[in-house]
Amino acid sequence: MSEFLAPINYDRSRDVLRQLHFYTRYTPDGAQRALEVLSQRYPTVFERMEKKTFVNGAVLLEMTGGSATGPLVFVSHLDAPMDEDAADCVHELPMSVAVSRAHLVALLEALEALLNEGYCPGGDLMLALSMDGLSGGAGAAAMAAHLKARSVVPCFVLDYGGYVTMDAFRTYLPKGAPLALVGITEKGELHGELTADEAVCARKGCAHLRPVDELLRAGRRLVKRPWHAALCNASEQMLVALGKKAPFLQRQLVSHPRRTFPLIKFLWRRRAIMRQFFFSERTVYGLSAKGTPQDPARAATLRFTQTLIPGQKTADYRHHLRDLAKNPDLKLSFPVENDSGVRSEASGEAWDALCTAVEIQFDRVVIVPCLSPYPTDARFYSQLEGGRVYRFSPFMVTGDEALSAMCTVTDGALQTAVQFFRSMLSV
């Protein structure tokens, strides 16, 4: 962390994290309430920036800046997973919160203070805040389409999705050096619904079948082999970058990952990093039906998600999932279909500015591009000209926190994050 201490209202940061704790999924009332929390606690940001509203309560805040750079675009979604630790510790730091939420609060703290100091950005400043990032991202898609229609060419787009850690690839790094993983693309995602109704027993010879039983059989097939390992270009870049810092033996394993990936899969098969950077994963998370012991349910719906490594198309997986269901009378639909994000280049002035901001805050840090393991709004902004879309949050996380997209917020962590965002806002 820099010796310079940025001005932060720690009490306000803590209160905002606590007040936003309720907002775990999109609802119209919840979105309005979450936005009111931010506008009340960061009044200068919302008063000084022009506001446009989009579908599902998404908000685009804009401020005219200089002409030294292209627009600085910061994006984030407000909905975040439930975190019990924050509920148990709402008055004192540290608290455990979603990385996406800590990312946004640190950004707003930095911007609020800069605006009160007379800040004028080097290029137009844009904050794109969606309310439904975990349930399809319609708000982010609408804002990205709006910017594309205006032919906006950003200096960079920055979302959460990367992090700093001391718990990954330790034998590949210099002793005591933290690792900063910066997302340059992300996994695709399908949200699926498999429905069984009386159609499954309408065929000749199938009158004995019950809809719920058929749905459970299909669900069993869906979860039989839920993981599939693959190497995408972004993960290949990550391994090659790690190899440049690694000792001789480790370097042989990762310097040419296309050749050695079968061995990597075997050696790392039980490591969390496989799930984050190399696995497509299918998760069944819900089953709904209405019935009684006397009157079994006549219809039921099973819900699941499927992540996809870049290079794997959603259309191909739709056919694969249809084949897994087997029974043609089961109805399969996909309310959410998002292909993986376009890969951004880990080079150029915007990348250099991001790396410099990270290096100022984390001594001896090793920075590598990676596949972001989280679904973010950034995927929709890849359609903008320029291709400088990055995913990174300046928080140090443990291995378990990285898997669950959480982080521990302390005064020191907030100070580091705010300093980072002050640097990025000053590009």
Side-chain angles (χ1 to χ4, degrees), residues 323-344:
D323 291 342
L324 284 177
K326 289 190 176 180
N327 190 330
D329 294 319
L330 296 176
K331 298 177 177 65
L332 181 61
S333 62
F334 297 97
V336 176
E337 295 185 41
N338 290 321
D339 280 317
S340 57
V342 176
R343 182 166 55 112
S344 296

Side-chain angles (χ1 to χ4, degrees), residues 272-308:
I273 53 175
M274 286 299 295
R275 181 178 173 188
Q276 289 191 73
F277 303 116
F278 303 102
F279 274 174
S280 297
E281 184 173 1
R282 187 163 51 252
T283 304
V284 174
Y285 67 88
L287 177 66
S288 59
K290 292 183 179 180
T292 66
Q294 293 76 30
D295 184 19
R298 299 180 182 181
T301 298
L302 181 145
R303 295 177 177 84
F304 64 92
T305 60
Q306 171 74 61
T307 60
L308 291 79

Side-chain angles (χ1 to χ4, degrees), residues 156-158 183-185 342 344 378-379 381-382 387-391:
F156 62 77
V157 176
L158 183 63
I184 56 174
T185 186
V342 176
S344 296
R379 74 177 75 216
Y381 296 86
S382 299
R388 295 174 288 268
V389 181
Y390 303 117
R391 301 152 181 88

Side-chain angles (χ1 to χ4, degrees), residues 61-101:
L61 302 174
E62 296 188 62
M63 179 181 181
T64 302
S67 57
T69 71
L72 313 177
V73 183
F74 296 84
V75 306
S76 189
H77 59 78
L78 268 70
D79 51 335
M82 179 70 73
D83 43 280
E84 297 299 333
D85 290 341
D88 296 335
C89 184
V90 296
H91 298 296
E92 300 294 335
L93 293 177
M95 59 171 62
S96 179
V97 300
V99 173
S100 60
R101 191 156 289 166

Side-chain angles (χ1 to χ4, degrees), residues 6 86 110 136 228 312 315 382 426:
H228 174 71
Q312 301 170 333
S382 299
S426 301

